[in-house]
Amino acid sequence: MRYLTAGETHGPQLTAIVEGLPSNLPLTGEPINEQLARRQKGHGRGKRMQIEKDTAQLVGGVRHGKTTGAPVALVVANNDWKAWTTVMSIEDVEEGSEGKRRVNRPRPGHADLNGGLKYNQKDLRNILERSSARETTVRVAVGAIARQFLAQFGIKIAGQVIRIGETVAQRQDLPIDELIRLTEESPVRVVDKAAEALMIAAIDQAKADGDTLGGIVEVIVEGVPVGLGSHVQWDRKLDGRIAQAVVSIQAFKGVEFGIGFEAAERRGSKVHDEILYTEENGFHRGSNRAGGLEGGMTTGEPIIVRGVMKPISTLYKPLASVDIDTKQPFSAQVERSDTCAVPAAGVIMESVVAWEVAKAFMEKFGGDSMEEIRANYENYLAQVGRY
């Protein structure tokens, strides 16, 4: 399974092509649009969320509510395109016109300067339009397809915010359906109501100060069988693949599994998960400090992964930068932005993790149709049960 995305933040649309899905997977637009709506929520979002009401249109690979085995294509229209038709015109526009206005002041923390130097672009809009987090819209749509696939095998995915700025939410071990319900009711996607109030206040203060806030989000994947991924090559290790997917999200700078970096503080006896066996449950672990992954493979325990998102780089109280034409110092160019996008980033992280788990599932139980995959899956579960 693989996918590619295309499109710019102020272009006419975002596009994705998903290849490798089996035939006969029930697939409809409604669950995709539910995930897109979740991505647009969260206290601290900017005005773009008032303009865009994202919906995905399936335009290939699906017939009568099921995949055909052909590549699935989907598009998400940018409603803001109507205000950018000249600036983002595919055809050339007259020199000196409004459409030719350039971005020549790179913003600290963005791809602007690095991309301009790399691709020899003197108009930095050619960089920022694609590097924008708007691209994650279609990654959420693709992740929603992966969710529909995983749901056929009882695999569920949830997310919660662990930290925004200096405020840390008290983590609670809840049934996954309850966690989904409670976090969905929270404007900052936390269960801890005391932390919720402090987070909202911190976001409001940062906005008043012209500043931004980052944080930490956690994703849990429940119902995953033992043995997804592999130990035999570095690039087949599932934790490595998930980690790469997480830090590929715009503004994400770190990732950990289970107890993560806390393992450096503990002795081994307080880190590793003891192996147990009962007739009822077979082989299982007495704890899940590893976050459901050992040796690059799933253990059968829930996958628990956390990602850290830096504060958004665009500040309404801009940082110092240098004009690429005059080489003189200026205040950095201000583009429309959020104060805090951590709650929305959690939805994006759920989506990229869902894709990696679905991809590993397909590699393990691969087939051309859902019926073939299900037979392979059930045979494997029986094999594990007899071990």
Side-chain angles (χ1 to χ4, degrees):
M1 281 169 51
R2 61 177 181 165
Y3 72 92
L4 289 173
T5 73
E8 285 74 41
T9 185
H10 295 111
Q13 68 182 43
L14 299 165
T15 307
I17 296 178
V18 184
E19 187 179 51
L21 291 171
S23 67
N24 300 328
L25 168 65
L27 187 60
T28 61
E30 184 177 356
I32 299 174
N33 292 332
E34 288 174 359
Q35 295 302 322
L36 291 178
R38 292 182 67 227
R39 177 191 169 277
Q40 295 190 279
K41 296 178 182 178
H43 192 73
R45 302 306 305 277
K47 292 182 179 179
R48 182 78 188 252
M49 297 306 102
Q50 300 168 17
I51 298 170
E52 305 288 359
K53 299 298 180 187
D54 291 328
T55 57
Q57 182 182 4
L58 292 164
V59 295
V62 182
R63 183 168 181 259
H64 298 164
K66 291 185 178 180
T67 56
T68 64
V72 169
L74 62 86
V75 297
V76 178
N78 286 331
N79 293 329
D80 206 18
W81 158 248
K82 56 184 177 289
W84 292 80
T85 53
T86 304
V87 175
M88 293 299 296
S89 171
I90 301 298
E91 304 298 328
D92 197 8
V93 296
E94 187 177 344
E95 200 67 40
S97 69
E98 175 70 9
K100 279 288 189 179
R101 73 176 191 264
R102 294 171 53 237
V103 175
N104 59 325
R105 298 178 184 178
R107 300 162 298 167
H110 282 273
D112 302 353
L113 181 59
N114 297 342
L117 292 168
K118 175 179 172 64
Y119 290 99
N120 195 30
Q121 294 291 329
K122 300 300 177 61
D123 183 352
L124 300 180
R125 181 160 298 285
N126 290 337
I127 305 303
L128 69 87
E129 283 287 331
R130 179 59 184 169
S131 63
S132 164
R134 177 70 184 156
E135 179 266 347
T136 62
T137 306
V138 280
R139 284 206 268 174
V140 168
V142 169
I145 294 174
R147 285 172 182 265
Q148 292 185 61
F149 171 76
L150 294 172
Q152 294 293 312
F153 301 95
I155 298 173
K156 297 181 179 181
I157 299 172
Q160 61 182 330
V161 171
I162 299 297
R163 183 182 192 124
I164 290 179
E166 297 180 354
T167 304
V168 178
Q170 186 68 39
R171 190 183 183 279
Q172 300 183 34
D173 290 316
L174 298 170
I176 195 164
D177 290 332
E178 181 74 356
L179 180 63
I180 292 170
R181 183 184 69 80
L182 291 173
T183 53
E184 210 58 29
E185 294 173 353
S186 169
V188 287
R189 298 197 186 282
V190 297
V191 177
D192 183 347
K193 289 298 181 182
E196 176 182 278
L198 292 172
M199 288 175 176
I200 290 172
I203 292 168
D204 291 343
Q205 186 60 56
K207 183 176 182 180
D209 295 341
D211 221 323
T212 57
L213 289 174
I216 297 173
V217 293
E218 179 179 87
V219 172
I220 303 103
V221 187
E222 195 172 88
V224 182
V226 64
L228 299 189
S230 178
H231 67 286
V232 302
Q233 288 288 359
W234 64 271
D235 59 345
R236 293 180 63 187
K237 295 175 183 285
L238 184 55
D239 46 2
R241 288 159 55 172
I242 290 173
Q244 192 278 332
V246 171
V247 295
S248 78
I249 302 169
Q250 287 84 336
F252 272 65
K253 302 299 286 186
V255 63
E256 65 178 8
F257 296 86
I259 61 171
F261 289 100
E262 190 180 331
E265 305 170 10
R266 300 186 182 190
R267 293 187 176 189
S269 58
K270 301 298 183 182
V271 171
H272 305 295
D273 302 312
E274 293 184 314
I275 299 172
L276 309 174
Y277 180 85
T278 63
E279 287 288 340
E280 181 182 2
N281 298 319
F283 291 101
H284 59 281
R285 306 303 168 110
S287 56
N288 190 24
R289 297 165 184 149
L293 290 147
E294 286 184 344
M297 298 168 285
T298 52
T299 64
E301 300 293 329
I303 295 173
I304 300 175
V305 53
R306 283 177 291 279
V308 58
M309 180 188 187
K310 69 178 181 179
I312 291 170
S313 305
T314 299
L315 309 180
Y316 284 100
K317 184 175 63 178
L319 299 172
S321 185
V322 175
D323 188 302
I324 63 173
D325 296 335
T326 67
K327 310 303 188 290
Q328 295 300 307
F330 280 95
S331 293
Q333 187 91 7
V334 175
E335 296 283 324
R336 181 178 51 215
S337 183
D338 302 330
T339 301
C340 179
V342 174
V347 178
I348 300 164
M349 183 171 158
E350 290 175 35
S351 301
V352 301
V353 171
W355 174 263
E356 293 302 327
V357 174
K359 184 177 178 181
F361 194 99
M362 272 293 292
E363 290 170 357
K364 175 64 178 167
F365 306 111
D368 296 312
S369 69
M370 286 296 292
E371 294 80 8
E372 185 179 359
I373 295 168
R374 190 172 299 281
N376 294 341
Y377 177 61
E378 292 175 353
N379 181 64
Y380 175 74
L381 292 184
Q383 172 189 306
V384 169
R386 294 191 300 267
Y387 186 83

